[in-house]
Amino acid sequence: MKVEEKNESDLKQDKSNDPQNKEDTDVVIEKDKIQDEKNKEELNGKKVKELEEKILRTLAEMENQRRRFEKERDEAFEFGGFTFAKESLALIDNLERARTSFADNEKFKENKDFPKILEAFEILEKDLIAIFKRNNIERIICLEKKFDPNFHQAMLEIDDTSKEPGTVVQEIQKGYTMKGRLLRPSMVGVTRFKTEDVKKVQENRDNHDTKK
């Protein structure tokens, strides 16, 4: 029994001392090292890629925040200017009323300085309109235009068969826009046809067609 155990021990010792076995073991170890290095490189590559993606997302979020901030800032500035412009319309309204009242007053007309005072009103009005234009505030041209609810507010209807129904024929109060946005609608009078007028127009057309 002891002899057999000794033989087995000797065999193991012989195998461990075998150069071929040592070489094979070294190859396996080297392969394991290479595989470990590859695994580390792949892991590092994934980490780098994840980090790059994270940086890109952060930069994109920062850019979106910057754009939102600029948009909100511009909207706040524009809203403030819009509100100021809307309230400023009262200036030109009052100036026009004062000029009209002065020009229609017979007693003022007797004053030798009447033309100079009237000219001063006109200069002030022109200067104010020029300031409005520089700030993109434009008057709405409405007379003889088709009624547009986006820019006009109908205050009365006027019977008129000479024009198409819904044509603006009277401007009660001037309207204005700012950068294309409505500041105040034009208060207007628009044409309409009475029922009897419509019948007359149709009869005239029928008679005209019959003569042809």
Side-chain angles (χ1 to χ4, degrees):
M1 188 73 175
K2 291 181 179 179
V3 174
E4 288 178 358
E5 288 179 357
K6 185 177 180 182
N7 290 337
E8 287 179 2
S9 176
D10 291 340
L11 286 171
K12 287 181 182 178
Q13 185 69 31
D14 291 340
K15 284 182 181 179
S16 63
N17 293 330
D18 188 356
Q20 183 63 40
N21 288 338
K22 272 191 174 184
E23 187 176 337
D24 291 342
T25 304
D26 292 341
V27 169
V28 171
I29 293 171
E30 189 64 28
K31 283 183 179 179
D32 290 341
K33 285 183 179 179
I34 293 171
Q35 187 61 44
D36 288 342
E37 291 296 327
K38 284 183 179 179
N39 292 338
K40 285 180 181 179
E41 287 179 3
E42 288 178 2
L43 184 62
N44 290 335
K46 286 181 181 179
K47 288 183 178 180
V48 169
K49 190 174 181 181
E50 288 175 0
L51 184 60
E52 286 177 350
E53 290 176 353
K54 189 174 181 180
I55 291 171
L56 288 174
R57 283 197 300 269
T58 303
L59 290 173
E61 289 174 3
M62 289 174 65
E63 179 64 16
N64 289 335
Q65 287 179 351
R66 183 186 68 80
R67 289 177 180 175
R68 280 197 299 269
F69 171 76
E70 288 182 351
K71 185 180 178 182
E72 290 172 1
R73 180 198 62 191
D74 292 342
E75 286 177 351
F77 179 78
E78 186 176 341
F79 179 75
F82 184 85
T83 303
F84 177 77
K86 193 172 183 179
E87 293 178 355
S88 297
L89 297 180
L91 293 173
I92 197 165
D93 289 340
N94 292 333
L95 188 59
E96 287 178 354
R97 291 191 194 101
R99 179 176 58 80
T100 301
S101 177
F102 182 80
D104 293 341
N105 191 300
E106 295 299 326
K107 288 185 178 180
F108 287 152
K109 288 180 181 179
E110 295 173 2
N111 191 310
K112 64 178 182 178
D113 293 324
F114 176 80
K116 291 181 180 179
I117 297 172
L118 193 61
E119 184 181 358
F121 272 111
E122 292 173 352
I123 291 171
L124 286 172
E125 189 176 346
K126 285 179 181 178
D127 287 346
L128 190 54
I129 290 172
I131 292 170
F132 278 10
K133 284 185 176 180
R134 284 199 296 272
N135 289 276
N136 300 302
I137 301 171
E138 300 283 345
R139 179 186 165 191
I140 298 171
I141 306 301
C142 61
L143 288 174
E144 303 302 324
K145 302 287 185 181
K146 194 72 176 175
F147 177 79
D148 184 348
N150 295 310
F151 296 100
H152 307 148
Q153 182 177 344
M155 303 302 293
L156 54 92
E157 290 184 308
I158 300 168
D159 298 323
D160 189 344
T161 57
S162 66
K163 293 181 175 62
E164 287 292 323
T167 302
V168 176
V169 291
Q170 184 178 351
E171 185 180 50
I172 300 167
Q173 187 181 57
K174 294 175 182 177
Y176 293 87
T177 61
M178 181 178 181
K179 295 181 180 178
R181 183 180 173 187
L182 184 67
L183 272 176
R184 183 179 73 189
S186 300
M187 295 185 180
V188 299
V190 298
T191 58
R192 70 174 179 182
F193 280 179
K194 288 183 178 178
T195 305
E196 54 269 26
D197 289 334
V198 173
K199 289 180 180 178
K200 285 180 183 179
V201 170
Q202 188 61 46
E203 286 173 2
N204 291 335
R205 286 178 181 172
D206 292 341
N207 293 332
H208 182 70
D209 292 340
T210 303
K211 288 178 181 180
K212 283 184 176 181

